Amino acid sequence: MGARNMKTLVISLFAILAGICSAMAADAGCDTFKWPVTREQALFPAAPAAQSGADLTVGQAMDLALVAVDTISFEVPPERAPATGTFGATANVTVPPEGELQFSLSDEAWIDVVQDGHAVKSTGFSGVKTCPGIRKSVRFKLSAGPATVQLSGAKKETLKVAVLAPE
């Protein structure tokens, strides 16, 4: 093997190792969530587009188009007042009899879940800034039946949301 071929081989191996290391680093960031987010990683790339007011389905994800937060009529004021110039949306979900749901978001945004006219306090939260495509995951213990999901304070005009039963 000539010096030129050896150099090409070494550069190729280095590129492969760099790719593997960066993939491992990305996965390591996702592994720092308090619970697994592998289902979200599978759902988010193919999440169908939806508008504010959409119906979310447990076990699926949506890519919500957000609107200026000051144009939304929230059922209750968001627990954290959204900054001017940010975006939000509302969505509906039917809570199954088990009652516990996990909402995962692709980017930074505030999430409130409203049932019977009251915001329900979350029972768990995990946020990671180093997991590509998933920013936070929040759990709520809810009553079976309808609930409203309120998203606010997003800096971008789209947000992927997964609704799952906790593992």
Side-chain angles (χ1 to χ4, degrees):
M1 184 178 275
R4 182 180 169 101
N5 287 340
M6 183 59 89
K7 185 176 180 183
T8 302
L9 177 64
V10 169
I11 290 171
S12 297
L13 287 174
F14 179 76
I16 290 167
L17 286 173
I20 291 169
C21 289
S22 77
M24 287 171 62
D27 289 341
C30 298
D31 288 344
T32 57
F33 275 98
K34 292 178 185 174
W35 46 79
V37 293
T38 52
R39 294 178 297 165
E40 292 88 332
Q41 288 173 308
L43 289 171
F44 278 173
Q51 300 298 313
S52 183
D55 291 327
L56 301 174
T57 303
V58 177
Q60 296 182 2
M62 290 277 195
D63 189 355
L64 283 174
L66 308 181
V67 297
V69 79
D70 57 358
T71 66
I72 301 171
S73 295
F74 290 114
E75 191 173 332
V76 299
E79 185 178 327
R80 180 180 290 169
T84 304
T86 59
F87 302 93
T90 61
N92 305 301
V93 66
T94 299
V95 180
E98 306 81 64
E100 193 170 3
L101 289 180
Q102 173 178 305
F103 296 86
S104 298
L105 308 179
S106 60
D107 288 298
E108 288 193 34
W110 186 258
I111 181 169
D112 291 296
V113 178
V114 179
Q115 265 193 323
D116 300 321
H118 302 285
V120 177
K121 293 282 185 205
S122 66
T123 57
F125 166 84
S126 189
V128 174
K129 292 185 178 182
T130 56
C131 178
I134 303 173
R135 173 60 183 91
K136 72 193 290 185
S137 189
V138 186
R139 291 180 172 174
F140 294 87
K141 183 71 175 151
L142 303 160
S143 302
T148 302
V149 179
Q150 298 183 165
L151 302 162
S152 60
K155 293 178 176 72
K156 297 179 182 177
E157 293 185 56
T158 62
L159 181 70
K160 292 180 181 175
V161 180
V163 185
L164 302 166
E167 288 184 303

